[in-house]
Amino acid sequence: MKAAPAAQKRLLDLAELDSVVDRLAHRRRTLPELAEIDELSTRVARLATQVIAAETEAGDLAREQSKAETDVDAVRVRAERDQKRLDSGQVSSPKDLASLQSEIASLHRRQSDLEEVVLEIMERREAADAQVTKLSAERDELAAARDGAQDRRDAAFAEIDKEAAEVRGKRTAVASDIPADLLALYDKLREQFGIGAAMLQGTRCLGCRTSLSIAEINRIKATSHDEVVRCEECRRILVRTPESGL
Ligand SMILES: [Zn+2]
């Protein structure tokens, strides 16, 4: 393939811009915010599950407490009714009186036991409610941190994308200086190796950093400057410049 030395030299400008494009893409893929968002999202999801479990427990205890309070009320109502019968003087038989008094005493003991149960449930409920509050606060705090990281990621993306658009604009301008067949070869090599063209500096290919053999250098020396030469090591287009000394 033949191409004017000036066009070949433009390949180096193209390679430079492409390496900027690659660096920007790499920066976009490896933003520290991405890992941070992943980690925070996992923790937020785990806490959300824990909050639901704590809320379920608190709800169960609230129902349990209300049921135990209903039991206390029923016993209290029964004791009050018995006490009224006792106070009314309608029960006169000593045996019935003794039985009624014994029942009232038994109901009072039962009420006291049930009130203990209510207190115990209330304590557990308080702990469960406190757990809901604590876990919800942790979840909200982490969600806010995740949102902050997402904002920083979006700002970084916007900055990278703006720079990438500028570089692509420059690339289009540089590519228009390069003949189609040379550009097609460069693009094919870029796809294969990441870099499509490299400078020959002295006897070294800057693409693969290998020094070329004396025979190869002599062959290139003998080759006309409008002939496109390739590195025998990495197969990239070798661009001869004044720095090549060839
Ligand atoms: Zn090379």
Side-chain angles (χ1 to χ4, degrees):
M1 188 184 291
K2 282 186 188 299
Q8 291 188 42
K9 228 177 139 228
R10 277 309 246 168
L11 287 178
L12 294 179
D13 298 331
L14 204 61
E16 181 58 41
L17 290 170
D18 281 338
S19 77
V20 176
V21 167
D22 289 348
R23 269 204 303 280
L24 289 171
H26 180 259
R27 217 178 107 208
R28 207 182 196 282
R29 276 196 310 273
T30 58
L31 273 184
E33 280 82 5
L34 296 178
E36 199 185 330
I37 290 164
D38 263 1
E39 201 229 322
L40 286 168
S41 298
T42 305
R43 288 170 68 192
V44 168
R46 200 163 50 220
L47 274 164
T49 308
Q50 289 174 335
V51 167
I52 289 169
E55 280 172 346
T56 306
E57 202 200 335
D60 288 349
L61 286 167
R63 270 189 299 281
E64 214 179 303
Q65 183 186 337
S66 143
K67 190 183 162 292
E69 282 168 347
T70 306
D71 291 347
V72 170
D73 282 346
V75 172
R76 189 178 41 77
V77 166
R78 229 176 112 194
E80 279 169 6
R81 196 194 55 202
D82 285 356
Q83 189 63 48
K84 264 186 199 151
R85 271 186 71 209
L86 188 68
D87 295 346
S88 71
Q90 282 166 353
V91 184
S92 49
S93 131
K95 194 185 158 221
D96 289 350
L97 272 176
S99 155
L100 194 55
Q101 278 166 338
S102 150
E103 187 180 303
I104 289 169
S106 152
L107 285 170
H108 281 155
R109 280 195 302 277
R110 173 94 183 113
Q111 185 180 338
S112 166
D113 288 349
L114 286 171
E115 279 167 352
E116 281 292 319
V117 170
V118 170
L119 281 177
E120 186 254 333
I121 294 169
M122 280 171 78
E123 271 172 26
R124 282 164 59 206
R125 198 183 155 193
E126 257 172 47
D129 286 343
Q131 189 69 355
V132 170
T133 307
K134 177 178 161 273
L135 291 171
S136 303
E138 274 178 43
R139 177 203 56 195
D140 293 348
E141 197 183 314
L142 287 175
R146 179 205 53 202
D147 292 349
Q150 279 172 344
D151 288 348
R152 278 184 278 121
R153 174 203 61 192
D154 291 346
F157 274 177
E159 194 188 306
I160 291 167
D161 292 349
K162 183 169 164 270
E163 208 178 326
E166 282 167 16
V167 175
R168 274 197 302 275
K170 284 184 199 161
R171 190 192 194 277
T172 306
V174 171
S176 70
D177 293 343
I178 300 165
D181 55 350
L182 182 59
L183 186 63
L185 174 63
Y186 168 89
D187 282 338
K188 198 183 112 215
L189 293 170
R190 170 166 158 72
E191 214 170 278
Q192 273 178 288
F193 306 117
I195 306 172
M199 188 193 287
L200 178 64
Q201 192 180 53
T203 61
R204 213 152 70 108
C205 161
L206 291 190
C208 60
R209 312 258 154 198
T210 310
S211 285
L212 304 184
S213 64
I214 302 289
E216 186 60 11
I217 289 295
N218 286 335
R219 191 188 65 81
I220 292 171
K221 259 185 195 165
T223 307
S224 144
H225 273 262
D226 62 359
E227 192 67 49
V228 174
V229 295
R230 308 265 297 271
C231 171
E232 61 177 355
E233 276 303 318
C234 68
R235 303 306 301 147
R236 292 184 180 103
I237 298 166
L238 265 182
V239 180
R240 285 169 283 177
T241 69
E243 284 178 272
S244 312
L246 299 177

